Amino acid sequence: QVHLVESGGGLVQAGGSLRLSCAASGLTFSSYSMAWFRQAPGKEREFVAAINWSGDNTKYTDSVKGRFTISRDNAKKSVYLQMNSLKPEDTAVYYCAAKSGGVLYSGRYYYDYWGQGTQVTVSS
């Protein structure tokens, strides 16, 4: 059974930083591309960033480019999202997701497995 468990969320002031982690189990982690999505209250779940199986290809939504960095450690079966220069509009529940294969997609329906999410709140 596949489990994705996010951690690292919390309350931070605008301009601050947080590092999210997602620990995976029950899958051959190095065969999966990983992604982060987020969902703010009353809004659709949106793509944030993705990384391929080897970590040498990444994709970001425009609003986080230059501020967020996705990375992974296959030995630890974990993916990370370093978030800097946080803004109040980054406030959302952040979800980790996994899809088989190396092509990076921003559409949520391409992803096979999801975590339960971690809350990130950025105060102004």
Side-chain angles (χ1 to χ4, degrees):
Q1 191 171 2
V2 176
H3 290 285
L4 301 177
V5 180
E6 301 95 336
S7 61
L11 173 64
V12 64
Q13 289 190 329
S17 298
L18 281 175
R19 187 189 192 219
L20 304 184
S21 298
C22 172
S25 61
L27 75 170
T28 306
F29 184 73
S30 58
S31 297
Y32 281 76
S33 295
M34 301 297 295
W36 289 94
F37 285 75
R38 65 187 179 187
Q39 188 166 17
K43 294 190 176 181
E44 300 243 334
R45 191 169 299 189
E46 66 171 358
F47 171 79
V48 176
I51 188 167
N52 71 336
W53 66 272
S54 62
D56 62 359
N57 188 23
T58 57
K59 181 183 178 72
Y60 297 91
T61 192
D62 286 346
S63 63
V64 308
K65 283 179 181 177
R67 300 189 298 123
F68 291 10
T69 302
I70 189 171
S71 63
R72 68 189 293 160
D73 185 333
N74 286 345
K76 295 183 178 179
K77 296 187 178 182
S78 294
V79 62
Y80 309 98
L81 186 68
Q82 177 66 43
M83 305 186 295
N84 298 329
S85 302
L86 282 160
K87 304 175 181 180
E89 51 264 43
D90 294 317
T91 294
V93 177
Y94 282 70
Y95 297 90
C96 173
K99 65 170 289 290
S100 60
V103 180
L104 301 183
Y105 293 107
S106 57
R108 61 181 175 167
Y109 299 107
Y110 289 99
Y111 290 82
D112 305 304
Y113 303 106
W114 293 85
Q116 293 301 305
T118 185
Q119 176 71 47
V120 171
T121 303
V122 184
S123 63
S124 56

